[in-house]
């Protein structure tokens, strides 16, 4: 199975921001769908107005016909299913839907009628004509009143021609209200955005049957163009321009805010990461972020940078000390081997001395390697949360040393948040250092202090000089080099305690040495 990382499609932040802003810009364009809905409402509103006009015209025309002496069985019979059960309530509702309706070709011109208009029809139509002309001036509708044969007997134009052939009129002559949308031929130039609209060149036609005593006596045929929403927008192009400019300006402000609030801090983080890769020292602090999550991220990055720098300095210093410590015994071993190789007739006692020197230096190197491995394990150790009772551990530790260890224990046992093996290792190292440096007695005093456990370790030895006190935790610093000291014991102790959230310090003392451990106690 391949362990190579899978390649993933990644995008730069400005690309993501650009896509977001593009969507923001496209939001106003999505209003085109709302335009369609608005156009449909305009068409239905136009049909509703034509229905209302047709109802009033039909009522007026019926009243005029009733003033005349009509022949028997005048008009066309109405199918029984078209006769209303309640003649007082005969609502006519709009039927058109611009979004789905088929737009028919323009209406054909009127034809020559096959029959003549009757005298009473002509008289009623003549009386109605002034009313229709007056209404047209206000409502802008084209009005035709047709007799049962489809001949125009009154209206704003085409008097005396037959309009029985359009589909909507044929449906009305059968007693059905009908409405259609037809293309309109306009004598005005279309607006530049006309292609976006279905309602640019249309006209609404309605045909309302007029029924008198269960006979169809006329058809009110009306038409009018609905107001076009895009034309209205074009007429308000200045307002649309300023609205668009406002959207662009707002988008630009959003882009600038995103750049300052997110882009700039992330760019600073990226530059800091690159400088860390190059191993450069960090002098300038990262800029302050105004977003809580980014601010927290940058604070943690600062802490991580400081930790990396500290670790790098530690490794660099350790490497320098390590090279120095290894160089001396290796040079001594190499010199002894060369002398023994060049002087094969060397006296036995001198040969033995050189061999002892080699063995001594080899043992020192082995001890340093062992201590370095312990230090490496201590540096990377992640101890599990453990609790250790102090009193039993100190009593067991006292029994391990033949020298005198004095325990000054508190009346109540104290529990510390640290592994027993870690604390025992640290205390053993400190006690051994005391005895190896000439101490006869070591005193251990644990005590609780707020949320901490203090363990003071004092001895009656020669103590630590003020000059050496600051070097005591430096790797490879030792005053017992000739007796095999590596100078790594206390360094390992500090790493072990640090991994457990504890610390170790050397305090000034009038006599002997004074080491203090500070541990966390359990609640």
């Amino acid at each position: 199975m391949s362990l190579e990382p899978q390649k993933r499609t990644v995008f730069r932040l400005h690309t993501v921001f650009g896509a977001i802003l593009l969507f923001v810009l496209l939001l106003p364009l999505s209003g085109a769908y709302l335009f369609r809905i608005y156009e449909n409402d305009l068409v239905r509103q136009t049909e509703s107005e034509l229905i209302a006009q047709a109802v009033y015209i039909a009522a007026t025309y019926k009243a005029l016909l009733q003033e005349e002496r009509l022949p028997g069985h005048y008009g066309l019979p109405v199918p029984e299913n078209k006769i209303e059960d309640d003649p007082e309530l005969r609502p006519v509702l709009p039927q058109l839907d611009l979004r789905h309706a088929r737009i028919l070709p323009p209406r054909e011109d009127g034809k020559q009628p096959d029959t003549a208009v009757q005298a009473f029809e002509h008289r009623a139509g003549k009386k109605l004509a002034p009313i229709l002309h007056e209404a047209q001036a206000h409502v802008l509708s084209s009005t035709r009143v047709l007799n049962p044969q489809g001949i125009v007997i009154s209206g704003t134009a085409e008097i005396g021609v037959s309009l029985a052939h359009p589909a909507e009129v044929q449906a009305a002559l059968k007693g059905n209200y009908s409405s259609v949308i037809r293309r309109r031929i306009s004598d005005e130039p279309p607006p530049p955005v006309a292609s976006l609209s279905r309602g640019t060149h249309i006209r609404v036609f309605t045909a309302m049957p007029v029924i008198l005593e269960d006979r169809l006596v006329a058809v009110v045929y009306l038409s009018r163009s609905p107001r076009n929403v895009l034309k209205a927008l074009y007429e308000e192009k200045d307002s649309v321009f300023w609205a668009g400019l406002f959207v662009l300006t707002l988008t630009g402000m959003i882009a600038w805010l995103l750049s300052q609030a997110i882009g700039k801090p992330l760019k600073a983080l990226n530059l800091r990461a690159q400088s860390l890769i190059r191993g450069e020292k960090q002098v300038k602090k990262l800029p302050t972020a105004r977003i809580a999550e980014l601010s927290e991220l940058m604070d943690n990055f600062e802490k991580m940078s400081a930790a990396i720098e500290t670790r790098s300095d530690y490794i660099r210093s350790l490497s320098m000390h390590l090279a120095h410590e290894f160089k001396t015994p290796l040079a001594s071993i190499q010199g002894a081997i060369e002398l023994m190789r060049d002087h094969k007739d060397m006296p036995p006692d001198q040969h033995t001395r050189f061999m002892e020197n080699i063995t001594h230096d080899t043992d020192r190197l082995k001890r340093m390697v062992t201590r370095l491995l312990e230090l490496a394990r201590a540096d990377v150790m992640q101890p599990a949360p453990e609790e250790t009772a102090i009193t039993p551990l100190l009593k067991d530790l006292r029994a391990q040393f033949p020298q005198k260890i004095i325990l000054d224990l508190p009346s109540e046992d104290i529990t510390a948040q640290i592994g027993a093996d870690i604390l025992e290792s640290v205390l053993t190292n400190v006690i051994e250092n005391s005895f190896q440096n000439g101490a006869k007695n070591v005193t251990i005093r644990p005590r609780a202090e707020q949320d901490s456990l203090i363990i003071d370790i004092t001895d009656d030895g020669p103590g630590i000089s003020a000059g050496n006190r600051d070097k005591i935790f430096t790797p490879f610093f030792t005053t017992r080099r000739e007796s095999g000291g590596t100078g790594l014991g206390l360094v390992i102790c500090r790493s072990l305690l640090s991994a457990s959230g504890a610390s170790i310090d050397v305090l000034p003392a009038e006599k002997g040495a004074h080491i203090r451990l500070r541990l966390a106690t359990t609640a």
Side-chain angles (χ1 to χ4, degrees), residues 394-436:
L394 292 178
K395 290 181 179 179
D396 291 342
L397 190 63
R398 181 176 57 183
Q400 298 176 17
F401 286 88
Q403 296 92 339
K404 187 175 182 181
I405 296 178
I406 303 170
L407 298 181
D408 186 0
L409 300 175
S411 56
E412 295 182 359
D413 192 15
I414 306 173
T415 303
Q417 291 183 352
I418 191 171
D421 55 339
I422 296 176
L423 183 56
E424 182 178 358
S425 175
V426 171
L427 290 172
T428 299
N429 204 313
V430 173
I431 294 170
E432 285 179 348
N433 273 351
S434 293
F435 290 136
Q436 289 170 359

Side-chain angles (χ1 to χ4, degrees), residues 236-254:
E236 299 292 336
K237 54 183 177 295
D238 291 341
S239 299
V240 173
F241 169 78
W242 289 111
L245 183 62
F246 172 76
V247 171
L248 287 174
T249 304
L250 184 61
T251 304
M253 291 178 62
I254 294 174

